[in-house]
Amino acid sequence: MAVYQIVEIGAEVLREKAKEVKEVNPSIIKLLDNMVDTLFAADGVGLAAPQIGVSKRVVVVKVDEVLFELINPVILEKEGANSAEEGCLSIPNITGDVVRAARIRVQGLNRNGQLLDFQAERLLARALQHEIDHLEGILFVDVAKKTYRS
Ligand SMILES: [Zn+2]
């Protein structure tokens, strides 16, 4: 088990476009394990690899006790829109209202290198959009209508 320090806003790695994973090899599996450990230790909903300082296209999200691990995730379809309050493990003490697509269709590889293709809505859709934004160097405060200090 390895819990990493979460990189905070201001760090260059959070603003880089993360690199595509070419091969799901043992180092990617280890990265996923470390990301899950770090997510659970921080009691968060989602984590993107750049948040532990690794500029790779890997995200983990846990919603309703279901863990999603996605390598090279891509949003293929977006439908509807709603606004809700978000926070980010990399931006302590700030929340904000963010409009996201209500329903999305996502593709990505799992840790076995198999292609997943699924629909998501509600919190799962929101969390995936937030994490996939991280892979583009976008933080929720960039897209929030309004932010709050908590
Ligand atoms: Zn975040």
Side-chain angles (χ1 to χ4, degrees), residues 1 3 34-44 47 61-62 67:
M1 158 147 178
V3 172
N34 292 340
M35 287 173 64
V36 170
D37 289 343
T38 304
L39 177 68
F40 290 179
D43 199 21
L47 190 74
V61 169
K62 190 186 179 199
L67 178 68

Side-chain angles (χ1 to χ4, degrees), residues 68-127:
F68 292 81
E69 300 174 324
L70 287 176
I71 299 157
N72 300 335
V74 183
I75 297 173
L76 296 176
E77 290 165 25
K78 288 186 175 188
E79 203 184 281
N82 57 44
S83 180
E85 200 169 326
E86 290 185 17
C88 179
L89 294 171
S90 293
I91 312 176
N93 307 318
I94 303 279
T95 60
D97 296 326
V98 183
V99 176
R100 302 274 187 198
R103 285 169 299 281
I104 59 174
R105 181 178 153 217
V106 184
Q107 270 190 358
L109 299 176
N110 68 10
R111 63 165 60 216
N112 301 316
Q114 295 160 325
L115 184 67
L116 305 180
D117 185 326
F118 61 97
Q119 316 256 359
E121 55 181 18
R122 288 186 273 271
L123 181 59
L124 179 60
R126 176 167 294 276

